[in-house]
Amino acid sequence: MDTKAEIKEIFVKYKNIKKDIDFSDDTEFKRILKKIGEHIPSEKPDGYLEVDDTIYGIEHFQISQYVVKKGQDFSRVAKGSQNNREKMRNDRDFSLKPSVDNLISALERNMDSHSHSFEEYKTNVLKHSEKNTVNYKLIIFIEDSTDSGVIVKRRDTKPINPLELKQLAEIFLKYKNDIWAVIYSFGNEITRELTGCTVQELQDKKEAGLLLNAEEYVPFEVDREVHVSSKDSKEDKNSITIKLFDHF
């Protein structure tokens, strides 16, 4: 079977991957997060992992904190221009404005799109099982493709776990009858953190009032200006703006 091996690429692309096992208290999920690199790539969903009497379907997609218009993430357009500069007639400039609202909108749009294939994922994954009787659970693997995907409280610099944001959790909870757990990848160009938990844990955190209001949180990086030269990659520019506060 010809597969894109999207999830495997994450483990190749980043030099340092940290697994935040402690974010979840679920023993089963912790075991799966530790083994996630051992999954088998497939099509619809993007991978599966069979452990004991359970087979886990794993569907991966990217979301971003950058501006998206007409379904296009401007950061991907910029990277596409860099990879195909020989086709460009003129230099191109991109103003990437990361925001938590962009992230929420991207997650909502992608979850709605993928939800139409949930039953197909189950059918396809169960065909891979080598056992006659097996449990099936679906994991959604979210990759924040933002070049610096760190989110902090306003006027602060301490990173939070994005899954603590109530507005993100509520999107997953819409599909709690279909999804067992969420794995979330975020970080920078070199270091990635893999975190996650079960959807039931998100439900419990929400009911206990432990989730954070996204309106009080912002990206650590507030602006990124990208210049792509049509002639020479050495003339490309990548200007990043962050906000640091000396007092509160």
Side-chain angles (χ1 to χ4, degrees):
M1 179 183 293
D2 182 24
T3 64
K4 291 185 264 186
E6 294 179 7
I7 304 172
K8 292 284 187 184
E9 289 178 4
I10 296 174
F11 295 88
V12 174
K13 184 166 48 176
Y14 301 101
K15 296 179 180 179
N16 187 20
I17 294 182
K18 300 178 181 179
K19 294 181 181 178
D20 182 9
I21 302 297
D22 295 332
F23 184 71
S24 172
D25 291 326
D26 189 282
T27 303
E28 180 184 359
F29 177 79
K30 287 184 177 184
R31 181 172 58 168
I32 297 306
L33 184 58
K34 289 179 181 179
K35 289 178 170 286
I36 194 64
E38 302 172 18
H39 76 278
I40 299 173
S42 62
E43 296 286 353
K44 300 192 78 169
D46 295 306
Y48 65 92
L49 182 64
E50 190 163 11
V51 180
D52 298 331
D53 62 346
T54 302
I55 189 165
Y56 303 85
I58 309 166
E59 177 63 10
H60 161 267
F61 59 82
Q62 293 182 334
I63 58 177
S64 170
Q65 298 174 23
Y66 294 131
V67 173
V68 174
K69 288 187 178 180
K70 296 182 179 179
Q72 282 192 316
D73 178 342
F74 282 3
S75 66
R76 293 190 189 184
V77 177
K79 289 177 181 177
S81 297
Q82 290 172 328
N83 293 333
N84 298 280
R85 73 179 71 246
E86 69 279 358
K87 298 180 181 179
M88 293 168 51
R89 293 183 178 179
N90 302 302
D91 293 1
R92 298 193 67 180
D93 291 287
F94 300 88
S95 181
L96 310 178
K97 304 290 184 182
S99 76
V100 176
D101 283 344
N102 288 339
L103 192 71
I104 294 170
S105 297
L107 178 62
E108 193 163 32
R109 182 173 59 253
N110 276 278
M111 284 300 299
D112 176 67
S113 174
H114 285 78
S115 68
H116 301 299
S117 299
F118 283 167
E119 284 302 317
E120 186 176 3
Y121 297 163
K122 181 177 181 179
T123 299
N124 291 343
V125 167
L126 288 175
K127 290 178 182 177
H128 295 300
S129 176
E130 297 178 355
K131 303 172 184 178
N132 294 326
T133 304
V134 69
N135 297 317
Y136 165 81
K137 295 182 179 181
L138 177 61
I139 299 171
I140 298 297
F141 193 127
I142 307 296
E143 180 185 358
D144 182 351
S145 62
T146 313
D147 289 320
S148 179
V150 176
I151 295 174
V152 299
K153 191 170 185 178
R154 292 182 186 276
R155 304 184 68 83
D156 199 352
T157 58
K158 183 180 179 181
I160 65 157
N161 187 315
L163 292 180
E164 294 181 282
L165 296 175
K166 180 179 66 175
Q167 287 84 342
L168 287 185
E170 287 176 340
I171 295 172
F172 293 120
L173 290 175
K174 291 179 183 178
Y175 306 95
K176 62 184 179 182
N177 293 329
D178 299 292
I179 300 171
W180 173 66
V182 176
I183 293 176
Y184 196 98
S185 164
F186 68 102
N188 55 42
E189 294 93 332
I190 298 175
T191 300
R192 282 272 130 173
E193 185 161 322
L194 290 186
T195 185
C197 62
T198 66
V199 174
Q200 182 59 54
E201 287 182 300
L202 290 178
Q203 180 73 54
D204 294 342
K205 288 176 185 289
K206 178 182 177 182
E207 292 176 355
L210 298 177
L211 296 178
L212 308 173
N213 186 350
E215 295 178 1
E216 300 175 5
Y217 291 81
V218 294
F220 186 58
E221 173 191 313
V222 297
D223 187 27
R224 182 180 288 251
E225 301 293 329
V226 178
H227 175 80
V228 181
S229 169
S230 59
K231 299 177 181 178
D232 190 343
S233 62
K234 294 180 180 179
E235 296 180 9
D236 287 356
K237 296 179 181 179
N238 201 344
S239 176
I240 303 170
T241 303
I242 61 175
K243 283 187 178 180
L244 297 177
F245 296 94
D246 296 325
H247 60 277
F248 296 89

